Each structure stands twice: as structure tokens, then as C-alpha cells.
Amino acid sequence: MTVSKPAVDFEKLSMRGVTRSYAKSATPALSNLDLELARGEFVALLGPSGCGKSTALACLAGLQPLSNGSIWRDDVRLDTLPPEKRGFGMVFQNYALFPHLSVQKNVEFGLSMRRVPKAQRQERAMRALTLVQLHEHAAKLPSQLSGGQQQRVAIARALAIEPEIVLMDEPLSNLDAALRIEMRTEIKRLYQERGLTVLYVTHDQEEALSLATRLVVLRKGVLEQTGTPQEVYTNPASAYVAGFMGYRNLFSAKVESTGPGKDTAVLAHGTVVHGVRKAASGVAAGAEVSVAIRPEDLIVGAGSTGNSIKAVAEVVEYHGRELSVQARTGPDTVLHLKTNEPVVAGAVLDLGVAPERVLVYPADNGDGTVEPRA
Ligand code: ADP
């Protein structure tokens, strides 16, 4: 039994100059956002809490009015239509199931709203439940299911209306770690099998990287960077994005000299790093900059990297395959690194880092600091 694929009758969904202010005087939660989703894309909207992700989704879904701008599916204007006429399936963090209705009735709900006849409604609900492997639980109440199963019901309900586009707002954040990974795979399977188009809100970098075909990083309601997961992961456009892509070591520094391939940055506590990679233009000698290094790119034993950072291991955590180490390089500076070397707390380390793994950006907040990860 298969659920028929959604009608392929659109090419792209566009948000054009969408602004949403919750109060007239306040900074808009979303500012002049231009966002396009091509049919078949899985776009993850990524950013820390409060950056406007849910607002963007709510504007698309018709749950929040726009203060400015418009929303289009090809040449059909959507923002003037009520939510149920926009053709989206929706899945939320809290499942939003009706507790007094059976699983089957919950899945039928969107079809009832659309006045689908009873027999067809029952058949489509059962097909959607089969898709998420819950057909044997159709007669139960939501409270008789686990959290993961309840979220599957919510997904079945979204798919039962055979939507062209599915909007998901942090659908996995109420699940425990193991279930989250299982459901992530499930969502990816459904996306691939059904040829869906998905807009997926998350603050979880790993979730975004593993699910999406394209990432959109928001910052204070403004688009900061968009690209494939590989592009954003390897070339974060700013220190802010780098902080989100696993560059846990973010600190201010001063550029000592510049030149093709041999820029030198002096970290705030005096360590000199040679041959850094300028990740953004506008970095000149003497400039205050933000430096970003991934924990896994710091090597114990400077070796042939040409860079040598003296540090004292302070906290060593055993993570199975590797150790996670917090090492102090100065009174106010600690570095985080991952290593297979047998480091113990108190050890004096000589850390190396390959020059091309050190990213340098113009100082993010004017003082070399960046906002912390959510
Ligand atoms: P995210 O989903 O990225 O956490 P939100 O879209 O929920 O961000 O919020 C963006 C901004 O809008 C935040 O500053 C938040 O406080 C504000 N905001 C969100 N919802 C409301 C609301 N209903 N009323 C007033 N302000 C809101």
C-alpha cells in the first residue's frame, strides 16, 4: 500500500521581503526576508533561539500576519489565503494531537476540515499511518503511545492531506536522544520516498546538516547565509555561522601582517598563528578580528603545522573514541580540543593547528566577540 505522491504542480515557494513585527516599536522578528524553496528541496532554517525561525514558519503557514512583503507559490499569492487553503502539511514540536480522539481520527482531522468523504478519509488516514508504521495503533488514544509514536502520528496527519510542502517546527526536540536520531532517519526516508518539499526549523546544527539539502541561517530576523550543508560547514560566511557549525573556539585576535597565503594573527593572549585563512574580506593588518577553530582541528604536538600554542590541560573528559579536553592558554582564554593522545589534567600541551583550519573574520560585534550558540 503506498500513498500517492503529492501533485507536482508547483516549481517554487517564495517569501518576498517578508517582515513581521510583533509590536510597532520593537525590532522586527523577521526583516525583509527573501527565501525561495524549489520543489524537492529540504531546507533547514537554522539559528539560535529568538532569531525568527518560528516566526518565518508561522508567517508561511498563515498563523501570523505579515507586517510587510508577500508569499507566493509560483504566481499564486498565498499570504492573503487562510491557513487551510495554502496546501501545507504542518508538524510541530508539541505534536498538537487531540487527546480525546483516536490516532485514526487525529490523522483524519485535516481531511475532515477539507470535507473529504468518510470512506476516502479513512483509507487515506490508514495509508498515512502505514507509512509511519503505526497502522496497528489506529484505534488507540495518543496517551497510549510513546513520545516518538505520537510524533509519528503528527507526521502521518501532515502527510494525509497529501501536501505539496511540509513545514516542520523543531519536530524532534521533545524526544530523547536515541529516539531523535531514529525519527530523523524516518523523516529523511519519508522525504526521499515521497518526493516531498520540506521547510524544517531547528536550532540543532547536526540535525540540519544530516537532513537538509540546503541550509538557511538566520540572525536577528535577517538571512545570514544560505548554501548546501557542505558549503556552510566548510565555509561559514561569518563568525556567527562558524559558531553554529562546530567552531567551538571563537576568540578575538589582532592581525599582525597580511600577504597572499601568509597572514599572521596574534591571538588576544599573545599566541601567534601563522598563515591563517581569511574567511572574509575586509581583514587588514592591525585589524581586530574573530578567529574560529574547530576542537578537532587542534592537534596535540605542534608537529609540522608551523604553529605552536602553549596550553595547560584543565578538564579532560572521556568520550569513548576520543578525549575532549579543555586547555588554558592564558588567564582569560581556554581552548577546546579533541584528541586520541593520552592527555591528563595538568599536562602542559604544545598545540598545533594547520593554518588553513584557522578562520579569520572581521570582528563580529566590533569587539571580536560573537553571540554564543543557543
Ligand atoms: P526562534 O523560532 O528562532 O526561536 P521566534 O520566531 O520564536 O524565534 O522569535 C523571534 C523574536 O520574536 C524573538 O525576539 C521573540 O521574543 C519574538 N516573538 C516571537 N513570538 C512572539 C509573540 N507572539 N509576541 C511577541 N514577540 C514574539
Side-chain angles (χ1 to χ4, degrees):
M1 206 159 41
T2 57
V3 173
S4 60
K5 294 204 170 192
V8 177
D9 62 355
F10 84 106
E11 286 305 316
K12 65 178 186 215
L13 173 73
S14 319
M15 296 180 88
R16 295 189 195 151
V18 170
T19 298
R20 169 71 183 138
S21 307
Y22 285 102
K24 278 207 166 63
S25 56
T27 329
L30 218 54
S31 279
N32 201 17
L33 181 69
D34 289 322
L35 182 63
E36 282 199 349
L37 243 85
R39 180 166 50 82
E41 276 195 300
F42 193 126
V43 171
L45 207 50
L46 183 66
S49 179
C51 73
K53 307 178 297 293
S54 297
T55 300
L57 209 80
C59 286
L60 266 176
L63 306 175
Q64 287 285 348
L66 311 190
S67 306
N68 215 338
S70 56
I71 299 170
W72 302 78
R73 184 178 52 232
D74 293 338
D75 52 4
V76 178
R77 185 159 182 177
L78 294 187
D79 56 283
T80 49
L81 298 179
E84 68 278 7
K85 295 259 167 69
R86 298 189 184 193
F88 298 130
M90 282 180 272
V91 183
F92 299 101
Q93 179 176 348
N94 59 6
Y95 324 139
L97 300 177
F98 297 110
H100 58 289
L101 294 183
S102 69
V103 164
Q104 165 96 24
K105 292 273 184 230
N106 263 286
V107 177
E108 279 182 33
F109 184 76
L111 300 169
S112 308
M113 294 277 291
R114 286 163 180 77
R115 298 181 201 289
V116 175
K118 190 172 176 190
Q120 203 185 337
R121 216 161 63 204
Q122 287 175 337
E123 191 203 324
R124 278 167 67 173
M126 196 44 94
R127 273 195 252 150
L129 280 170
T130 306
L131 205 64
V132 297
Q133 292 153 15
L134 278 182
H135 45 290
E136 287 168 9
H137 301 271
K140 289 186 180 169
L141 290 174
S143 59
Q144 294 173 285
L145 302 182
S146 70
Q149 288 172 326
Q150 289 184 38
Q151 192 54 297
R152 280 205 176 100
V153 177
I155 292 172
R157 183 178 55 186
L159 295 181
I161 61 165
E162 295 175 7
E164 290 162 328
I165 298 160
V166 183
L167 308 178
M168 298 193 179
D169 192 351
E170 306 257 9
L172 307 183
S173 52
N174 279 346
L175 305 177
D176 65 42
L179 252 176
R180 211 157 47 223
I181 291 175
E182 196 181 305
M183 283 301 293
R184 198 166 81 191
T185 310
E186 183 90 359
I187 289 173
K188 187 127 193 182
R189 177 180 71 79
L190 288 169
Y191 161 71
Q192 289 169 349
E193 277 182 18
R194 305 261 292 111
L196 298 172
T197 303
V198 182
L199 185 66
Y200 187 101
V201 162
T202 181
H203 65 275
D204 184 328
Q205 157 237 1
E206 201 182 301
E207 216 168 275
L209 287 173
S210 56
L211 281 171
T213 56
R214 186 158 62 90
L215 305 186
V216 172
V217 185
L218 284 187
R219 178 184 197 172
K220 293 184 181 159
V222 177
L223 196 152
E224 177 95 348
Q225 183 174 12
T226 181
T228 64
Q230 292 83 351
E231 282 164 0
V232 178
Y233 185 78
T234 48
N235 287 312
S238 61
Y240 171 85
V241 179
F244 244 84
M245 290 291 128
Y247 288 81
R248 193 167 173 207
N249 299 301
L250 280 166
F251 34 76
S252 58
K254 197 169 185 126
V255 174
E256 190 166 79
S257 63
T258 62
K262 52 179 190 304
D263 296 0
T264 296
V266 181
L267 310 191
H269 49 88
T271 303
V272 178
V273 182
H274 298 286
V276 296
R277 178 171 138 212
K278 261 190 315 200
S281 58
V283 176
E288 286 295 330
V289 291
S290 296
V291 170
I293 305 174
R294 285 185 210 279
E296 47 274 43
D297 288 334
L298 282 168
I299 304 160
V300 176
S304 58
T305 62
N307 287 310
S308 167
I309 305 171
K310 296 279 180 275
V312 178
E314 278 190 345
V315 181
V316 179
E317 291 171 21
Y318 178 63
H319 284 192
R321 281 178 54 173
E322 64 199 359
L323 297 177
S324 178
V325 179
Q326 181 179 303
R328 183 165 295 280
T329 56
D332 304 318
T333 324
V334 290
L335 290 176
H336 300 274
L337 60 130
K338 291 189 173 160
T339 183
N340 293 315
E341 301 293 325
V343 173
V344 292
V348 177
L349 307 175
D350 184 17
L351 303 177
V353 56
E356 69 277 9
R357 299 290 183 161
V358 182
L359 301 187
V360 173
Y361 299 93
D364 211 69
N365 293 336
D367 61 358
T369 62
V370 290
E371 289 153 69
R373 267 195 65 158

